Amino acid sequence: MSEALSVSLIVTTYNWPEALKCVLESVLRQSHLPDEVIIADDGSTEATAALIADFQARFPVPLIHSWQEDKGFRVAMSRNKAIAKARGDYIVLIDGDLVLQRHFIADHLKAAARGHFVSGKRARMTAALSDKVIKTGLVPSVFSKGLYRGRSTALRFAWLSRQVAMSKCSSADSIHACNLAFWRADALAINGFNIGFEGWGPEDKEFAARLLHLGLKRKVLKFAGVAFHLYHKENCKAALEKNNLLFEACLAERKVRCDQGLNECVNECPTPTSAADQRCQLSA
């Protein structure tokens, strides 16, 4: 991308400050820092707020804590509140369990193109390797012992990435919001994430499907934008059947805008009462 971009990195989290610490340390190691980092917090306790406050004191770019009350798994709403705060032209969205390779942001900016959004991958770490990363500060790499489900996802090779990057015009398959980038203006055009999705999955695929219905193309980032996923037990999937019906309706109706999305943020966003409670004040 030739034009100068401002980029907002949004990190989702919920009650796992040990993992979030690893993520934020990896942000500090970036060869190209984002212009701001927004923590989209789905109702964590004060341990997470204290961690973020500690990083804010030494972070080289604005670090914003966007918090909402814990009313169950509401990651769609949490992301929307962070998007509403974002001042960057371009948004890179990750989960709070992804440790970033040092060129992660730079790679996403190189892949950015008008009329496109970008989906990336993640290199999965075993429980043993994840534990070592969390407890010792080990920086994972393609050479780390304890990667599984394909070591190639941890390989960064800029030339090869340019050769195999693909655009898909019609599929939201294999989309994961843990590594996703898009233009803020495009997110506003589709009204952000559908907050009808409560509980795990597939709010990210539905978001991507509406970007495709808007007329955007999808780039698949390979051998770049490398991120290492900390091991954890799978989320409860009790809401999956209900949520799949929402996704199927989106596909069948070729929806572009959801009825309840970013437009719902202002009314539900509390006003912070102290510096330690910088939670969800929407930017104008």
Side-chain angles (χ1 to χ4, degrees):
M1 192 77 190
S2 57
E3 63 183 280
L5 288 183
S6 57
V7 58
S8 300
L9 176 65
I10 294 177
V11 184
T12 62
T13 194
Y14 175 71
N15 275 340
W16 197 7
E18 298 85 359
L20 183 60
K21 180 178 184 294
C22 295
V23 175
L24 291 176
E25 292 287 2
S26 74
V27 174
L28 291 174
R29 293 193 293 266
Q30 291 298 294
S31 61
H32 185 121
L33 285 168
D35 293 280
E36 63 180 1
V37 178
I38 305 172
I39 309 299
D41 188 346
D42 193 16
S44 300
T45 62
E46 288 301 318
T48 294
L51 174 78
I52 294 170
D54 178 66
F55 271 94
Q56 284 172 332
R58 55 191 174 93
F59 227 67
V61 299
L63 177 60
I64 301 159
H65 187 189
S66 175
W67 183 92
Q68 66 184 14
E69 187 179 352
D70 187 357
K71 294 182 179 179
F73 192 108
R74 296 189 300 147
V75 71
M77 174 62 87
S78 182
R79 288 177 182 142
N80 280 348
K81 288 179 176 179
I83 292 169
K85 289 182 189 306
R87 297 182 180 274
D89 305 306
Y90 199 66
I91 291 174
V92 179
L93 183 62
I94 66 170
D95 282 351
D97 54 16
L98 283 198
V99 180
L100 310 180
Q101 195 270 346
R102 67 183 301 266
H103 299 299
F104 181 86
I105 295 295
D107 287 344
H108 264 291
L109 289 179
K110 287 179 183 176
R114 296 287 180 180
H116 293 75
F117 66 99
V118 177
S119 62
K121 296 184 177 294
R122 54 187 173 175
R124 293 177 179 267
M125 295 187 285
T126 61
L129 177 57
S130 298
D131 189 59
K132 187 177 294 186
V133 170
I134 290 172
K135 290 183 176 179
T136 72
L138 174 73
V139 178
S141 75
V142 67
F143 303 108
S144 297
K145 293 181 179 179
L147 299 179
Y148 67 101
R149 293 192 184 180
R151 190 171 291 269
S152 63
T153 54
L155 176 64
R156 181 179 183 270
F157 190 1
W159 178 86
L160 187 57
S161 178
R162 289 193 296 271
Q163 305 309 309
V164 302
M166 299 180 292
S167 293
K168 296 183 178 180
C169 299
S170 60
S171 175
D173 292 344
S174 301
I175 286 283
H176 297 290
C178 65
N179 188 349
L180 187 66
F182 47 88
W183 297 88
R184 186 176 186 272
D186 292 332
L188 295 176
I190 66 169
N191 201 22
F193 285 85
N194 183 348
I195 66 169
F197 286 86
E198 294 188 357
W200 186 88
E203 82 295 329
D204 44 8
K205 291 181 176 61
E206 196 263 2
F207 176 83
R210 287 186 287 111
L211 287 175
L212 291 167
H213 297 164
L214 182 65
L216 302 186
K217 294 183 179 181
R218 171 186 170 191
K219 278 188 175 183
V220 180
L221 194 58
K222 295 184 176 181
F223 304 111
V226 173
F228 298 88
H229 180 255
L230 292 163
Y231 174 84
H232 59 81
K233 293 181 179 179
E234 289 190 352
N235 290 307
C236 173
K237 297 183 179 180
L240 184 56
E241 183 176 357
K242 171 185 69 72
N243 286 349
N244 275 336
L245 292 176
L246 289 175
F247 180 45
E248 290 166 8
C250 169
L251 295 178
E253 300 169 25
R254 293 194 62 80
K255 286 186 176 180
V256 173
R257 286 182 61 87
C258 59
D259 295 329
Q260 293 182 299
L262 278 166
N263 60 313
E264 300 291 325
C265 288
V266 174
N267 291 336
E268 291 201 14
C269 200
T271 302
T273 57
S274 69
D277 192 27
Q278 298 177 15
R279 297 195 164 169
C280 199
Q281 187 176 24
L282 295 179
S283 55

